Every structure is written in structure tokens, then in C-alpha cells.
Amino acid sequence: MQELFQRYQYGIFGGGIGLVLAILLLTIGFLKTLLVIVCVFLGAYIGLYLNTIGFFDRFKKLKILEEQNMENKTNSSVNQQVPGELTFSDKVIQKIIGFALADIDGLLTIDGGFFSNIAEKLVNTNNVTTGIQTEVGKKQVAVDMDIVVEFGKDIRNIYDEVKNVISNEVNSMTHLDVVEVNVNVVDIKSQEEYEEDSETVQDKVSDAASSTGQYISKQTSKTTRKAQNEVQERTEPRVE
């Protein structure tokens, strides 16, 4: 039955129209039937024209806006009922930045950090924040870092990519705006030179016990001097 209908569907459709016309002619007469046909075609034409100029889309948009307003009011009501505040520590922002920068071509390392594009992975994820300084506010973030770049690479492009990656990653995860990214290039090395200078993970572990005290002392002095310099240079916070 279904195959028969599909084969003769247009004929069946035309026959149905003919049947309707015959009933109209027999019941209301020729002139009234003609009037009905004219009104049907006129209504169809008006409907197509209004759809072409986007008349019906306006009502759809209004309905969508009303639904969004209702949803926003509901969310606002819920938020007002549950007070609180979301904050991020410097370490969280620094770690986001450290992971985000690991795949930038030409960026060998953050000075003091432990990732390498040559190895294409983080060597020590616990120290990914080393070498990254941040100032975190309630709405904004400012970033300072020293980097080592690969010889022969476009440093300006690396800097632009660093800014874009930091801004996008921090904003997507925290909704904080990155308002300032200061990058200081402290060294340039070839890949061969960097590989020779880089220590293996085992070397880091074996040397850690003997150098921990000296390292902490140096880092403490360095941090203290840097903090004092920043206090002298900046009298107002950079972020909100």
C-alpha cells in the first residue's frame, strides 16, 4: 500500500484537490468556489511574502528574548539567595600559564622553569609555576616572566603568541581578564646548546639534596630583593 502511494502520490494528491473542488462546486456553486480558491492563493502569497521579509522571525526573536530574560531572572534570584565570592591564588594562575605555554614553538623555557619544547612535555609539573610572577585581582590578572628563546626564531611573534595563549587560557578557565603581560628575554640558545645545558630528571633528583639549602637561600634573597624593588616601583595595584 505504501509503495503504491509513493508511486502515484502526485496523482492521488491531484485527485484529492479535484474531489474538494467538486464538492465545493456542488454545494456552494461556481462563483463561491472561485472566491475560495482566490482567497487561498492570496493567503498563501501573503504568507510567503511575510516570511521572505522576516516578519515571522521577529516574533521568534521576541519569544527567545523573553525566555532568556526569564532564565536570567531565575539565575539572578538563585545567585542572590546564595552569597559568596570566588577567588584564585597566584599559584593557580601561574600553573594555568605554565601548562598553557608548554607548546609554543621557539620558547625553550621560562627562566627558572622546567619545561622544554624539545622534549615536548613538562619535565616537572610540580615546578611549572617557577619563573612566573602574577598579580591577581578579583577581575583582572597581570603577568611578569623571564624567558629563554630559540636562536633564529621571531621573538616578536613568540611574544604575541605568549600574550594570546595566556589571555585565552586564563579567561576561559577563570573568567579573569589579563590586562598586562610583561616578558623579559634573558637568553637565546640553539637547540643543541639548550639540550647540552639541560639537566635530566635524574640529575635534578640526585642534586636536590645537596643544593636545596643553597637554592632556598638564593631564592629567598632574590624574592626579597624583587619584592622590595616592586614596592618601590609600584605604588598602586595593576589589577582590579
Side-chain angles (χ1 to χ4, degrees):
M1 186 67 179
Q2 185 176 359
E3 294 180 357
L4 182 64
F5 176 77
Q6 290 179 350
R7 180 179 298 179
Y8 300 104
Q9 57 182 339
Y10 298 110
I12 295 173
F13 180 72
I17 294 176
L19 177 62
V20 172
L21 289 175
I23 294 174
L24 291 174
L25 288 171
L26 291 174
T27 54
I28 63 176
F30 175 76
L31 293 178
K32 292 182 179 180
T33 300
L34 183 62
L35 179 62
V36 170
I37 294 174
V38 171
C39 290
V40 169
F41 278 98
L42 182 61
Y45 174 78
I46 293 174
L48 291 174
Y49 175 74
L50 292 176
N51 184 57
T52 302
I53 63 175
F55 179 79
F56 299 108
D57 292 336
R58 299 174 186 174
F59 294 98
K60 293 180 181 178
K61 291 179 180 179
L62 288 175
K63 185 177 180 181
I64 293 174
L65 289 175
E66 289 178 357
E67 292 176 351
Q68 290 178 346
N69 289 334
M70 290 295 296
E71 184 177 355
N72 291 335
K73 289 180 180 179
T74 302
N75 293 335
S76 177
S77 176
V78 172
N79 292 334
Q80 290 176 359
Q81 294 174 3
V82 185
E85 184 179 23
L86 176 64
T87 59
F88 300 94
S89 69
D90 286 342
K91 183 178 180 181
V92 171
I93 304 301
Q94 292 165 3
K95 205 161 189 177
I96 292 173
I97 295 172
F99 281 111
L101 295 180
D103 295 325
I104 293 183
D105 181 46
L107 178 60
L108 293 178
T109 183
I110 299 173
D111 189 34
F114 296 97
F115 77 83
S116 166
N117 280 328
I118 297 173
E120 294 184 352
K121 62 181 179 180
L122 293 170
V123 177
N124 189 340
T125 57
N126 292 328
N127 293 294
V128 69
T129 63
T130 306
I132 303 173
Q133 303 297 326
T134 57
E135 186 176 338
V136 183
K138 293 183 178 180
K139 299 179 181 179
Q140 299 174 334
V141 176
V143 183
D144 302 292
M145 65 177 67
D146 295 334
I147 65 172
V148 178
V149 300
E150 183 181 347
F151 176 78
K153 299 293 184 178
D154 190 323
I155 298 177
R156 173 61 62 176
N157 286 344
I158 293 174
Y159 172 62
D160 291 338
E161 188 174 357
V162 166
K163 288 194 299 181
N164 291 334
V165 168
I166 291 176
S167 179
N168 293 336
E169 199 68 25
V170 170
N171 184 264
S172 66
M173 294 188 67
T174 66
H175 294 273
L176 297 176
D177 295 325
V178 178
V179 295
E180 188 174 320
V181 177
N182 299 309
V183 175
N184 180 36
V185 181
V186 296
D187 201 356
I188 296 176
K189 296 182 180 181
S190 65
Q191 288 191 3
E192 293 78 9
E193 183 182 3
Y194 180 72
E195 287 177 333
E196 291 175 358
D197 293 343
S198 298
E199 295 180 336
T200 63
V201 176
Q202 290 182 348
D203 291 334
K204 290 181 183 292
V205 173
S206 61
D207 293 342
S210 60
S211 62
T212 297
Q214 184 179 1
Y215 173 78
I216 292 175
S217 177
K218 289 182 179 179
Q219 289 298 106
T220 302
S221 300
K222 182 179 178 181
T223 303
T224 302
R225 289 195 302 270
K226 186 169 184 179
Q228 291 174 348
N229 292 334
E230 288 181 351
V231 170
Q232 293 175 356
E233 292 175 359
R234 296 173 185 158
T235 58
E236 296 182 359
R238 294 179 290 172
V239 298
E240 297 179 358

